[in-house]
Amino acid sequence: MIRIDSVTKRYPDGTVAVDRLSLEIPDRSITVLVGPSGCGKTTTLRMINRMIEPSEGTILLDGVDIQKQPVNTLRRSMGYVIQNAGLFQHRSIVDNIATVPRLLGWSKQRARERAAELMERVGLDSSLAKRYPYQLSGGQQQRVGVARALAADPPVLLMDEPFSAVDPVVRKGLQDELLRIQSELGKTIVFVTHDIDEAIKLGTMVAVMRTGGRLAQYAPPAELLTAPADAFVEDFLGADRGIRRLSFFPSGALELQTAPVVAQDADAAKIAARGSADVPYLLVTDLDGKPLGWGEPKDLKAGEITPERLLPYGRPFVHGSDSLRAALDGAVLSPTGWAVGVDDTGRVVGVVSQQTIGEAIRNAHAQGSGDDVRAAG
Ligand code: ADP
């Protein structure tokens, strides 16, 4: 565990970049430092690997003051990833990734094998190995940066705005990849960003910092969204925090109805039996159980049901693994106000009304925070 204990950084010109910061950074999880530009995030990160020395206070790694460790040993235990990847432009991708193993004296052969293994791990095609950084897209370069930082298998990864320079779609891919890598490798990651959505998506713990290098709040994301410590944090979280918080509640507790679901080949008696006063629409599925669309029972003529005549079914949610937010979104997008729940093969498992989702949301609010569910779709 990394423990930052009452650390202050005063630059020679008098700027207090970090002011008496204390944080306990748990092992094998992602801790995000987030806040507006200039609030001291990078300074904090760089004090962890001693690129910057604190003016006051101590930083402990597994209980040992990092000042008492040789700086080279310390840095070897910490991979470092920055924006735009910071790759060596005159070295091939494979040699970029092999940099630290080579410095550690690994043979060329072994270092390259390790690099190849890491390329696969971060989702880079092996055909890119011999290329140079300028021949890669921004997102690919960023993956190389992550692979390079992982090369000597350090227990800690320090990441400074690593995904800020790539477009939103690529960025989402990189974030998903990082979550996957973290869950596979169990690294302790300290991640700096100014983007609160990124912080909420990636962080197990999120430290919100304010200008002057002071900690505004340190909490799991669901707790930040539920109970911002003050107006600054609330403002920083943005307008739709109530909706975003629903990402932390699974949809599994929603009770789905199966009665309003009929297959395309249903006969007239079945259609008539399924329609009722409180179920104005029926969801029609194909013979495989995949959704086709909604229709009113009176409009559904047995033997003549075609998808073109049905109302769109909107965006289904995966019952269980998707969140209450996804279910709500499905219901809001549906012209009927009902959301379609599917299993992970896309087959319908039932439908749920906006009203039922609303009740589940009220229950979720009553439950308060403390949920440690990772934000789902
Ligand atoms: P962030 O990463 O949150 O944008 P930084 O840690 O880079 O913030 O900077 C925190 C504050 O310290 C800012 O006001 C910045 O201008 C100042 N600062 C950063 N580096 C130096 C330096 N070498 N000398 C003087 N002031 C600095």
Side-chain angles (χ1 to χ4, degrees):
M1 188 181 64
I2 301 169
R3 194 162 130 204
I4 300 177
D5 195 4
S6 204
V7 163
T8 293
K9 175 63 190 180
R10 217 173 287 106
Y11 283 110
D13 67 357
T15 306
V16 177
V18 176
D19 189 11
R20 285 162 296 165
L21 178 70
S22 293
L23 281 183
E24 286 200 355
I25 294 171
D27 266 349
R28 296 172 167 273
S29 58
I30 304 180
T31 298
V32 181
L33 309 178
V34 67
S37 176
C39 71
K41 305 180 293 294
T42 295
T43 302
T44 303
L45 195 74
R46 290 184 176 182
M47 286 194 286
I48 297 175
N49 69 358
R50 293 185 57 192
M51 287 167 75
I52 296 176
E53 301 288 357
S55 313
E56 284 158 34
T58 49
I59 298 178
L60 305 169
L61 175 63
D62 294 330
V64 181
D65 186 343
I66 60 169
Q67 294 295 328
K68 304 214 163 87
Q69 305 185 24
V71 76
N72 286 339
T73 318
L74 182 77
R75 291 211 188 129
R76 229 170 276 150
S77 69
M78 297 181 175
Y80 187 54
V81 186
I82 56 172
Q83 196 180 124
N84 294 321
L87 302 178
F88 302 116
Q89 295 299 323
H90 57 283
R91 280 193 206 163
S92 66
I93 298 310
V94 65
D95 286 340
N96 259 284
I97 298 172
T99 304
V100 177
R102 289 291 284 154
L103 285 174
L104 293 176
W106 296 24
S107 74
K108 203 162 192 164
Q109 169 76 4
R110 186 168 160 231
R112 287 198 162 172
E113 277 166 20
R114 172 74 178 150
E117 178 191 320
L118 281 162
M119 285 184 70
E120 192 179 331
R121 163 99 46 211
V122 301
L124 285 170
D125 197 88
S126 58
S127 65
L128 301 174
K130 296 237 164 67
R131 292 207 192 164
Y132 287 85
Y134 75 91
Q135 296 170 308
L136 266 53
S137 71
Q140 289 169 330
Q141 291 189 35
Q142 216 55 66
R143 286 172 199 263
V144 177
V146 173
R148 186 178 60 178
L150 288 169
D153 203 19
V156 176
L157 269 192
L158 305 178
M159 307 184 78
D160 194 353
E161 301 258 7
F163 308 147
S164 298
V166 293
D167 68 67
V169 176
V170 174
R171 184 170 186 166
K172 181 180 178 303
L174 290 166
Q175 291 167 345
D176 293 341
E177 200 83 14
L178 183 69
L179 286 172
R180 188 182 58 72
I181 290 171
Q182 203 282 330
S183 71
E184 283 173 14
L185 303 180
K187 299 290 174 193
T188 301
I189 299 177
V190 189
F191 190 106
V192 162
T193 180
H194 60 268
D195 177 349
I196 186 66
D197 288 319
E198 186 165 69
I200 283 171
K201 175 170 175 180
L202 296 179
T204 309
M205 288 294 285
V206 176
V208 183
M209 295 175 69
R210 68 170 93 230
T211 312
R214 290 200 314 274
L215 186 63
Q217 189 168 3
Y218 187 43
E223 191 180 319
L224 280 184
L225 291 167
T226 309
D230 57 20
F232 169 79
V233 178
E234 185 164 11
D235 204 39
F236 194 69
L237 285 166
D240 50 358
R241 86 179 152 85
I243 302 263
R244 283 195 280 155
R245 186 175 162 245
L246 297 178
S247 301
F248 291 92
F249 294 92
S251 59
L254 283 175
E255 250 181 70
L256 304 187
Q257 295 193 38
T258 51
V261 182
V262 292
Q264 196 175 7
D265 62 352
D267 59 29
K270 192 161 212 175
I271 294 169
R274 294 295 175 88
S276 75
D278 28 305
V279 186
Y281 295 94
L282 297 182
L283 179 78
V284 180
T285 68
D286 67 13
L287 301 183
D288 201 26
K290 306 243 166 95
L292 291 175
W294 295 94
E296 286 186 64
K298 66 175 174 49
D299 298 335
L300 296 176
K301 302 270 178 289
E304 296 174 28
I305 303 175
T306 56
E308 305 79 64
R309 297 203 187 157
L310 299 170
L311 292 169
Y313 57 85
R315 175 129 69 114
F317 66 98
V318 181
H319 188 233
S321 60
D322 274 349
S323 66
L324 271 186
R325 183 180 178 171
L328 178 64
D329 204 47
V332 171
L333 285 173
S334 164
T336 64
W338 286 62
V340 177
V342 294
D343 62 18
D344 48 21
T345 66
R347 291 188 177 83
V348 175
V349 289
V351 294
V352 60
S353 67
Q354 265 179 17
Q355 193 186 342
T356 302
I357 297 170
E359 282 157 19
I361 291 171
R362 280 190 292 282
N363 288 338
H365 284 301
Q367 244 181 51
S369 65
D371 244 54
D372 60 355
V373 195
R374 162 80 56 202

